[in-house]
Structures are given as C-alpha cells and as structure tokens.
Amino acid sequence: MVLIERGHEVVVVDNFRNSSPEAITRLESLLGLPIAVDRLDLRDRARLARVFARHRFDAVVHFAALKAVGESCQCPLEYFDNNIGGSIALLQEMAAAGVKRLVFSSSATVYGMPESVPVREDAELKVTNPYGRTKLVVEQLLADVAASDPAFQVADLRYFNPVGAHPSGLIGEAPDGPPNNLMPYVCQVAAGRRERLQVFGGDYPTRDGTGVRDYLHVVDLARAHADALDYLVRDRGGLTVNLGTGSGISVLELVRAFEAASERPVPYEIVARRPGDVAEVFADPSLAYERLGWRAEFGVEAMCRDAWRWQALNPDGYRTRLAEAMRAR
Ligand code: WQD
C-alpha cells in the first residue's frame, strides 16, 4: 500500500500459503484501484519466468517465506526448500531478466540470543532454529550475488517484532490455529476466543520477570520497505539495517497497554518459560535512521489500538465479509 501511495507500480506474486487473497481485495477497496496479482509458488520456475517476461521490473521486495520458529524445528527441510529454494529461484529469474535491486525481509532471529542489548547490525550472527538459519543463509546468498555483480544491490531488513494492523481495521494478520506470537494471542483472549494468555516465564532477569521484546507497528515496517526501495533506486549501494523502535516492552507491559487500548480484560497465568526464548532483546535502530532517514513513529498504544480494531472488526479474520467489517467501523 505504501509503495502504491508513493507512485510505484506493484505486481504481487504470492502462493497465499500464509496469507489470503481477501487481503488484496481489501487493499483494492482502500486504494480504489486494481492490483496486479500472480498466484504462484516461487519454486514454479516456468510460471515465475512468465511473470518476469510480462513486466519490466525495476526491483523486487521479497517477503515470501514460512516464518514460524516452532514449526521450522518440526519440518526444517520444508523451511529450507521453501525459504532458501524459493529465494534461489527468484534470484535466478531476476538475473535472467536483468533485475538488480532487491529488498529482503530478514529477521532479528539471525542474532539468536544476543550477548547484549540494544542489538546492533554488527552483533554476532548465531541462529538457534531452522527458520533463523534460512534467513541468515539467504542474506549470505544475496551478499555473494552482490559480490559477483556490483550492479546488484540488496537491502536486508532485519525485523524485530512486527505487530498491529492497518489503521483502517480492514487489513491485519489472521493466523490459522492458535497464534504462536504474543499480540495475536492477546487479541483473541480480549475477544473471548481464548480463555486466557499463558505468559511464558515470570522469572526472567527483566523489569517484571517477563520477556522483553522490541515491538514494531506494521505500518512503520511498511514505510521502511518503501524507504529502502527508494534508497536502492537512488543507487546508494546495499545496506543491512535493524527495524525496531529501540525500546523493549515486557509481556505484562504489553498486556496492560492492550487492556487500556481495547478496554477489555486480558486474563493471564504465568507458566514455564518457552524453550528457546531469550529474556530481553531490542534493537539499536540508529543505522536505519542514518542511512534511510527512517525511524518508528508509532508507540505501543497505537500498536494495541490498531491490533484490537482489526480483531474487533474481523472476528473471523479474512473470512469476515468486507461489508460486515466496513459496517462495524
Ligand atoms: C514475544 C514474547 C514470549 C506468546 C518471534 C520469532 C521471530 C519473529 C517474531 C519472524 C516472548 C511471550 C508469546 C504467548 C507469551 N518472527 N509470549 N505467551 O518469540 O520474540 O519472535 O516472532 O521473523 O523470528 O522468533 O515473538 O510474539 O512469539 O513472543 O508469553 O502465548 O511474548 O515468551 O517473551 P518472539 P513472540
């Protein structure tokens, strides 16, 4: 949406394995114009080649990946094939078509359990799960391609914890099954879809004993992609930046902020730590500001307000009829 609002022509390529075509329909409704979509899996080389033959792309913004840490531990090969294999197929078709700019959706998971916070981009990279390994491997593949072709430019964007929804309340995240991540789970507890939140650990060495993370509003995240694309188009070379607010929020602090924003109770119980979790991680986002002029503008109140609006208007996610969601606004 941000790219189109900045005048870019966008073609969406998605297999909709982890998203819904309804999100595109709603985007078209919000923008008042059609969006070109090609439904395919990046690993389908023949169909992907036809997309590159039909359009003359200036750049690619690459989001396509499976992204659940726990799931990746259960089926690593599927993550390697989808996330790394899909990226290789994309890079080969980009090379064949002479497309030499790529914005890559990476993740703070490449830092594993960081030695210190805030985390800078030169922190040690030590992944602790297959999902994180796919993100690190693709970053390294991109670096090798860029080293082989000086005209090829890459922007690696390392997301911390994206949360929230579009302020319209019409576009948001709709996980299948019980949400793995905190914010969507809190939304469903507040909506009465889940009985209570399980807080994974109350004995961490943090302000209130619960895990601290750097939550980032998805609209701030979207803006960063447009800024990174503009940076590459201005031929400024490649970059790797952290995308976070630079401040950490604990689980209980997020719960309290959500209760204030939604005016709904979020009952919880503190249970055992979740294996693999770290106590505290948040970004040093200063390089993104220095190179892109980007910094997060939304605080936790807006993140909770917009996440709740999406949940309240779309109790069944994208299965909620658009007219129904619009009426409830
Ligand atoms: C946040 C905090 C939990 C759920 C993951 C991926 C990372 C990135 C973002 C893709 C932690 C606690 C959570 C719950 C809880 N994804 N929590 N009860 O683990 O920081 O990062 O998502 O790039 O790669 O690892 O996010 O939302 O799962 O957890 O207490 O039901 O909330 O312990 O402290 P996480 P999260």
Side-chain angles (χ1 to χ4, degrees):
M1 188 167 197
V2 175
L3 293 177
I4 292 172
E5 287 167 343
R6 287 196 188 178
H8 293 290
E9 286 181 55
V10 171
V11 175
V12 173
V13 176
D14 198 331
N15 65 2
F16 294 108
R17 153 98 188 255
N18 241 359
S19 53
S20 164
E22 174 62 17
I24 306 292
T25 305
R26 293 181 175 206
L27 256 180
E28 290 176 324
S29 168
L30 286 168
L31 289 166
L33 47 83
I35 293 175
V37 180
D38 281 287
R39 183 168 194 158
L40 60 91
D41 187 300
L42 292 184
R43 293 165 292 182
D44 182 340
R45 295 291 306 279
R47 295 185 66 191
L48 183 60
R50 285 198 291 273
V51 174
F52 275 89
R54 271 203 305 275
H55 305 276
R56 212 175 55 72
F57 294 122
D58 298 306
V60 171
V61 184
H62 178 25
F63 298 98
L66 298 173
K67 72 170 191 73
V69 169
E71 182 184 58
S72 79
C73 297
Q74 289 153 18
C75 44
L77 289 178
E78 185 179 357
Y79 270 66
F80 297 152
D81 187 34
N82 187 81
N83 294 5
I84 299 172
S87 298
I88 292 171
L90 174 63
L91 286 167
Q92 286 171 322
E93 292 311 325
M94 286 177 69
V99 181
K100 297 183 179 283
R101 296 185 186 99
L102 186 135
V103 176
F104 176 53
S105 166
S106 188
S107 167
T109 310
V110 301
Y111 297 117
M113 299 191 177
E115 294 296 320
S116 62
V117 286
V119 182
R120 291 163 37 98
E121 288 80 357
D122 59 3
E124 187 186 356
L125 304 178
K126 44 184 176 24
V127 291
T128 58
N129 58 74
Y131 161 72
R133 190 174 324 283
T134 68
K135 288 299 183 181
L136 182 54
V137 165
V138 173
E139 281 196 16
Q140 291 165 340
L141 290 176
L142 294 172
D144 288 344
V145 171
S148 75
D149 175 0
F152 191 83
Q153 301 175 107
V154 178
D156 289 322
L157 306 183
R158 292 177 178 166
Y159 302 3
F160 278 66
N161 288 64
V163 294
H166 188 266
S168 65
L170 298 181
I171 299 170
E173 68 174 316
D176 289 332
N180 296 306
N181 297 133
L182 179 63
M183 183 66 99
Y185 204 101
V186 167
C187 284
Q188 292 187 10
V189 171
R193 278 187 60 183
R194 309 248 173 227
E195 192 180 340
R196 69 169 63 83
L197 170 71
Q198 289 194 315
V199 176
F200 298 143
D203 57 351
Y204 283 108
T206 61
R207 289 190 289 277
D208 60 17
T210 63
V212 172
R213 295 292 184 276
D214 188 335
Y215 298 99
L216 175 69
H217 197 297
V218 287
V219 172
D220 278 328
L221 185 66
R223 224 169 12 87
H225 287 73
D227 293 343
L229 183 62
D230 292 345
Y231 182 93
L232 295 185
V233 168
R234 290 198 303 271
D235 290 329
R236 303 283 302 278
L239 77 165
T240 296
V241 291
N242 289 337
L243 296 182
T245 64
S247 60
I249 290 170
S250 77
V251 176
L252 294 184
E253 288 165 346
L254 190 94
V255 166
R256 276 193 287 278
F258 196 92
E259 289 180 323
S262 64
E263 297 178 349
R264 294 287 186 95
V266 176
Y268 65 85
E269 61 174 329
I270 294 183
V271 299
R273 295 181 178 186
R274 179 172 64 177
D277 271 355
V278 296
E280 184 169 24
V281 60
F282 56 89
D284 172 347
S286 54
L287 190 61
Y289 184 68
E290 186 186 311
R291 300 283 295 276
L292 299 175
W294 175 91
R295 61 162 57 118
E297 294 174 1
F298 289 105
V300 67
E301 297 75 16
M303 297 176 208
C304 293
R305 176 199 67 206
D306 293 340
W308 174 241
R309 184 181 296 119
W310 156 255
Q311 175 66 52
L313 296 183
N314 305 274
D316 294 325
Y318 285 111
R319 288 186 294 277
T320 304
R321 290 181 52 254
L322 178 56
E324 196 182 309
M326 300 277 278
R327 252 197 316 277
R329 289 212 297 176

